[in-house]
Amino acid sequence: MASVLYASGRAVSKEKSLLGDDRLKRMIEGGETEALKILSEVGFGAGDAAGEVVDAVSAEETAKLCAFIKEAAPDDKTAKFFLYPNDFKNAEALIKSKYLKIETELSPNGLFDTKDLKEKIFADSYGALPPFMAKALFNADKEFVEGTASGVSINSLFTKALYDELFSLRIKNAFISKILCAKADMINIGIALRTRDFTAAEKQFVHTRKLDKTALKAVCEDDFDKIRERFRFDDYKDEVEAAINGLENGAGLKEFEKMSDGYAVKLVKKHRYGNEGDFPFIRYCFYKLADVANVRIILVGLRGGLSAAEITERLREHYER
């Protein structure tokens, strides 16, 4: 792993390529050709309109970011925080491929070599894998053999395993710890509000931190006004309000999911001028992830004929100059 000074210095130098409000607005208003031109100017993705442009641009820029994390992360645990989600998605895809006899596309952006991971999973050799990934694979084997596996149950196994693994790292960086806690809480709030059934929801909850099971039981069972009151002074007030409003007006949890996706960047922006320790590295990584998500939203929207207002409404929290 690189030193903190090196990691943060590299990250600060890369921030000039972040898109920001002005570029995003020009991409939306200028159409697909102009959007790709702007991306090319900052070296974002392929910048090539040929072929499956959305996938090509997103995949190339994601690969560049993950390569940067592997090279420059200030410590092993920070790298795992950002890259383990790709490894656990690969493990989930491979266990399905193992039993359903289907080909699957794997992300090359994890910490584990995909060929080696496939060999281990197909050989039932889990000993060298992260403990909670190994446990999820063992339990998935059991479900498939017993005929109880479903898409939901297998996905739940690996989502829970990912968060158990990340929390087990005991990451000392206070900022990452807060984001990890928030990400888990948001997943659990979403589960509680979708099911409104604590018995069903409890089987799906990921690692509980700030919101314990007593609080989540209340989200499952209380009426909406009581839930609003419970979160009136909470850090998640706006997200919970958006969720309840969506359920009340028939829009579902779309706005809540958008706000959940952007919660880490929302926290970063509160401290955007901080340059202590490894914060610049963390800040850049979250901003870049938001750029990748927003570029995809814009390009898909432009190709789908959405209006500028419709695309703008879908954008996630992002870097502001």
Side-chain angles (χ1 to χ4, degrees), residues 214-285:
T214 301
L216 291 169
K217 189 173 190 293
V219 176
C220 285
E221 298 176 351
D222 286 350
D223 63 57
F224 287 157
D225 285 341
K226 195 169 181 179
I227 296 171
R228 282 190 176 99
E229 182 61 26
R230 176 179 289 273
F231 284 89
R232 188 153 63 103
F233 300 107
D234 191 90
D235 290 342
Y236 307 147
K237 173 183 179 295
D238 293 340
E239 288 72 23
V240 171
E241 181 69 25
I244 293 174
N245 287 345
L247 292 172
E248 287 180 333
N249 65 30
L253 297 178
K254 182 172 64 175
E255 184 64 20
F256 167 75
E257 289 167 353
K258 170 187 166 181
M259 294 175 73
S260 298
D261 288 346
Y263 194 82
V265 174
K266 178 181 173 182
L267 290 180
V268 167
K269 286 164 71 171
K270 289 181 179 179
H271 307 280
R272 69 180 68 133
Y273 301 116
N275 285 306
E276 64 281 358
D278 57 359
F279 181 71
F281 176 85
I282 295 165
R283 177 179 63 209
Y284 170 76
C285 290

Side-chain angles (χ1 to χ4, degrees), residues 160-179:
K160 290 164 75 171
L162 170 62
Y163 280 88
D164 283 339
E165 196 70 50
L166 292 177
F167 277 110
S168 76
L169 296 175
R170 301 186 183 278
I171 298 172
K172 292 182 179 179
N173 182 287
F175 200 83
I176 287 182
S177 294
K178 186 172 184 178
I179 289 175

Side-chain angles (χ1 to χ4, degrees), residues 55-66:
D55 290 336
V57 170
S58 298
E60 182 166 336
E61 199 63 21
T62 300
K64 285 158 60 176
L65 172 60
C66 292

Side-chain angles (χ1 to χ4, degrees), residues 41-235:
E41 288 172 353
V42 296
F44 192 110
D48 181 1
E52 295 294 327
V53 63
V54 177
D55 290 336
V57 170
S58 298
E60 182 166 336
E61 199 63 21
T62 300
K64 285 158 60 176
L65 172 60
C66 292
F68 170 69
I69 292 170
K70 290 177 185 179
E71 174 206 346
D75 59 78
D76 183 57
K77 291 182 179 181
T78 299
K80 288 177 178 178
F81 171 78
F82 283 108
L83 301 181
Y84 262 180
N86 297 323
D87 290 312
F88 277 70
K89 284 180 183 177
N90 284 343
E92 179 183 349
L94 284 167
I95 200 72
K96 291 176 181 176
S97 174
K98 176 179 171 181
Y99 286 97
L100 302 178
K101 311 301 181 186
I102 55 174
E103 293 297 320
T104 188
E105 187 173 344
L106 302 178
S107 168
N109 299 317
L111 286 171
F112 290 90
D113 176 78
T114 54
K115 183 180 178 181
D116 182 58
L117 186 62
K118 181 176 181 179
E119 288 175 355
K120 283 181 168 58
I121 290 174
F122 274 64
D124 301 334
S125 178
Y126 307 150
L129 298 177
F132 288 100
M133 180 189 286
K135 181 179 178 182
L137 287 165
F138 177 82
N139 288 331
D141 281 333
K142 187 171 183 290
E143 287 194 18
F144 275 111
V145 169
E146 294 177 351
T148 60
S150 69
V152 171
S153 69
I154 298 301
N155 177 259
S156 180
L157 276 178
F158 284 90
T159 302
K160 290 164 75 171
L162 170 62
Y163 280 88
D164 283 339
E165 196 70 50
L166 292 177
F167 277 110
S168 76
L169 296 175
R170 301 186 183 278
I171 298 172
K172 292 182 179 179
N173 182 287
F175 200 83
I176 287 182
S177 294
K178 186 172 184 178
I179 289 175
L180 178 58
C181 180
K183 287 166 74 70
D185 287 337
M186 293 294 174
I187 289 173
N188 289 338
I189 290 169
I191 291 168
L193 289 173
R194 283 188 192 90
T195 62
R196 299 290 281 163
D197 179 340
F198 183 70
T199 301
E202 190 175 19
K203 297 175 183 177
Q204 302 176 52
F205 288 146
V206 303
H207 201 100
T208 52
R209 296 294 287 185
K210 179 172 176 286
L211 297 180
D212 60 19
K213 288 190 177 180
T214 301
L216 291 169
K217 189 173 190 293
V219 176
C220 285
E221 298 176 351
D222 286 350
D223 63 57
F224 287 157
D225 285 341
K226 195 169 181 179
I227 296 171
R228 282 190 176 99
E229 182 61 26
R230 176 179 289 273
F231 284 89
R232 188 153 63 103
F233 300 107
D234 191 90
D235 290 342

Side-chain angles (χ1 to χ4, degrees), residues 10-27:
R10 286 287 309 281
V12 169
S13 72
K14 284 178 168 290
E15 286 188 353
K16 62 180 181 294
S17 67
L18 293 170
L19 295 172
D21 286 327
D22 179 62
R23 286 183 179 132
L24 291 175
K25 183 177 180 181
R26 287 194 288 122
M27 287 173 65

